[in-house]
Amino acid sequence: MTTLLEQRYRTVLRLLPAYYRAEREEEMVETYLDDMDEADQDLSRPAWGEVASIAALSVRTRLGSSGAPPRYAAIGSAVRLFALLSVALLAADALTERALPAAWLTGAGPRDRADYLRTFTGDGVLMGVVQALLWALPLAWPVAYAALLRDRRRAASVLALLAAAPWLSYLVGWPTGQGPGVAPSALTVVAAATAWLTVAAVRCGYHSDAPPARLPFAPAGPALLGACVLMGASMVVWPQGADSVWGSGTAVVAAGAAWWVVRIRSARSGAGAAEPALPLALAALSAAVLAQRCALQDLLASAQAPRALVLGGWIQAAALTVLVVTLAVSGTRGLLARTTATAARPVPRA
Amino acid sequence: MTQAAFFILTALIDEPRHGYGIVREVEELSDGEVQLRVGTLYGVLDRLAADGLIELDREEAQQGRLRRYYALTDDGAAALSAEAERMAAGARTATRRMAAHRPADAHPQPTARPGRPGLAGGAA
């Protein structure tokens, strides 16, 4: 007879993917209920620790590595690539956003320098320390990038958390001068969501069974340096059109365009369907930057920004939209092919 | 090798065990230090099976539910042996260093030379 505890436990097990439940559910239920007094089973619930362990197993099985069914291996690979590319983009953004003002300060007049420094010193010592922390913490992104590529997963995860932490303060409006209770702008929310989504992808994607992080097509150092140069150059070359999303958008559009060039060449040379992980990861990254771009366009419109700035933003938004759609279609096609393969594959056994 | 994997392999040394048997044996082996949740157990079993360190021994039906027994493979025994040796070597190093740094007045030795309290234990 099925007890209430068994029913509840089977409900928790529904967190697991169907292929895994088909193979393991009966065995897991037996392991869980063994030695439990049947009379008590209608009065108890699965412990929270047990639920957490099933949830963790669910993430691990859904974001599989090479031994997992093809569909889940592809999803896992896509999430890990998104995590790596997003950390790289955030790292390049953090470096560029600090390098350009530093370069500007070297040639700035004393008054401009004093104005810049007043950002840190104008509101007292405590706020100065807080502002300095908010300025410095995003520099943990480049370190997280290096840690991820050196397969220091725990360090990368902690560093990503640190780097994303300033977005929490921005969200609550403190200490940016907005004050608590003031609603953050849509751009702030979207940028914070992107940073925390990246943290989640690092933590979930790089579980202990996952393969080490590898950057596609390019060595890690030159790739980060190239992204910094591209982002910085795009802002320097057209300063009247550059806003806080411009550099990231340029880098993502360049990466997406490069992927399409490589894809078209390999299709001409007779290569088969594209691996879905990279286009899906690039599509997700492009979507995150597109969301930031749209949120910023809203702000620019309400602030009656110069026409060139708004126009440049819309052109970039259009390019990002094309990328999101085409990359998502290409990646989804590849993923569907693997879903069919997963359905046809015999259930794995220990 | 994680602590959970180490204890699971250790639990399978003497005989094949099913899921709950492994949970109980690991708890006993670790003096209650390691209490495996089912999700954790099967995550580690999947990994150990994929690495060829354990294998399915047999299946039994128990009150209409499934019991699978897992056995240690030769590769699993070798991996466990290597890990145990690595841990033992680490423990020996730690013990040696602790002995070398033990303060002279904590365990006075009649042969200890004045002025060299770090060598009082003489274990190094």
Side-chain angles (χ1 to χ4, degrees):
Chain A
M1 189 183 73
T2 305
T3 63
L4 199 52
L5 179 61
E6 181 177 337
Q7 286 173 25
R8 285 169 170 162
Y9 193 66
R10 285 185 189 276
T11 304
V12 174
L13 290 180
R14 293 188 72 79
L15 287 170
L16 298 167
Y19 86 90
Y20 198 86
R21 280 206 317 277
E23 171 67 4
R24 291 283 203 195
E25 182 169 345
E26 293 309 315
E27 187 186 0
M28 294 175 84
V29 170
E30 160 63 15
T31 299
Y32 183 67
L33 295 181
D34 198 336
D35 203 31
M36 279 198 184
D37 192 340
E38 199 163 318
D40 295 336
Q41 289 190 20
D42 282 335
L43 302 172
S44 52
R45 295 171 179 277
W48 284 112
E50 187 63 50
V51 176
S53 79
I54 301 294
L57 182 63
S58 169
V59 171
R60 185 189 298 273
T61 47
R62 287 176 193 280
L63 304 180
S65 52
S66 58
R71 176 190 176 188
Y72 294 103
I75 292 174
S77 186
V79 169
R80 283 186 286 278
L81 268 175
F82 167 76
L84 180 59
L85 295 175
S86 189
V87 167
L89 186 67
L90 289 163
D93 192 46
L95 290 172
T96 309
E97 278 199 0
R98 279 148 190 79
L100 287 181
W104 170 78
L105 271 179
T106 54
R111 192 169 174 176
D112 288 335
R113 286 189 193 187
D115 284 344
Y116 183 80
L117 290 175
R118 204 168 293 123
T119 316
F120 299 96
T121 59
D123 297 314
V125 175
L126 179 63
M127 291 305 287
V129 171
V130 171
Q131 290 290 359
L133 268 177
L134 292 177
W135 184 90
L137 278 174
L139 290 173
W141 285 121
V143 194
Y145 175 72
L148 206 51
L149 288 160
R150 287 177 172 271
D151 209 21
R152 304 277 193 269
R153 299 173 191 215
R154 193 166 296 179
S157 181
V158 171
L159 286 161
L161 267 172
L162 278 176
W167 287 111
L168 287 180
S169 70
Y170 291 139
L171 275 183
V172 296
W174 181 91
T176 56
Q178 296 176 358
V182 176
S185 70
L187 177 63
T188 305
V189 173
V190 173
T194 302
W196 284 98
L197 192 66
T198 304
V199 174
V202 170
R203 290 185 73 85
C204 295
Y206 289 98
H207 53 75
S208 54
D209 288 344
R214 297 249 189 284
L215 208 63
F217 303 128
L224 180 62
L225 191 64
C228 288
V229 169
L230 184 64
M231 289 166 75
S234 74
M235 288 189 265
V236 171
V237 167
W238 192 34
Q240 68 273 27
D243 52 37
S244 63
V245 184
W246 182 253
S248 303
T250 306
V252 170
V253 168
W259 184 86
W260 271 113
V261 169
V262 172
R263 176 69 198 131
I264 289 166
R265 280 188 180 174
S266 51
R268 279 182 185 161
S269 65
E275 283 291 320
L278 186 53
L280 285 176
L282 279 172
L285 194 62
S286 306
V289 178
L290 175 61
Q292 290 177 50
R293 165 52 63 202
C294 291
L296 184 53
Q297 289 303 104
D298 189 42
L299 279 180
L300 293 178
S302 60
Q304 297 183 329
R307 196 173 169 190
L309 187 62
V310 176
L311 187 64
W314 282 123
I315 290 171
Q316 193 178 68
L320 286 166
T321 306
V322 170
L323 270 186
V324 170
V325 172
T326 55
L327 287 167
V329 167
S330 175
T332 306
R333 277 185 185 160
L335 192 62
L336 286 175
R338 276 151 187 79
T339 303
T340 311
T342 300
R345 175 184 150 139
V347 177
R349 270 218 174 158
Chain B
M1 187 180 289
T2 62
Q3 187 189 43
F6 178 80
F7 275 109
I8 288 173
L9 291 177
T10 306
L12 296 176
I13 288 175
D14 53 348
E15 60 177 346
R17 294 180 196 277
H18 63 283
Y20 184 69
I22 295 172
V23 172
R24 288 291 302 270
E25 187 69 10
V26 166
E27 192 173 345
E28 200 173 310
L29 285 169
S30 65
D31 290 329
E33 291 277 317
V34 181
Q35 296 183 342
L36 293 171
R37 306 280 186 190
V38 177
T40 310
L41 169 70
Y42 283 95
V44 179
L45 287 180
D46 291 339
R47 200 178 319 151
L48 293 175
D51 292 343
L53 304 185
I54 62 167
E55 62 188 1
L56 184 66
D57 184 70
R58 65 184 189 276
E59 293 181 349
E60 288 178 2
Q62 181 73 20
Q63 294 175 335
R65 286 197 293 263
L66 179 67
R67 268 188 182 176
R68 287 203 180 108
Y69 286 77
Y70 298 94
L72 196 63
T73 62
D74 290 342
D75 284 350
L80 180 60
S81 183
E83 182 69 6
E85 178 52 41
R86 191 187 67 78
M87 290 167 74
R92 283 196 296 273
T93 302
T95 305
R96 196 165 56 238
R97 288 180 70 91
M98 288 291 287
H101 288 272
R102 187 178 297 147
D105 56 353
H107 297 282
Q109 298 288 322
T111 54
R113 288 187 293 176
R116 300 189 66 188
L119 297 177

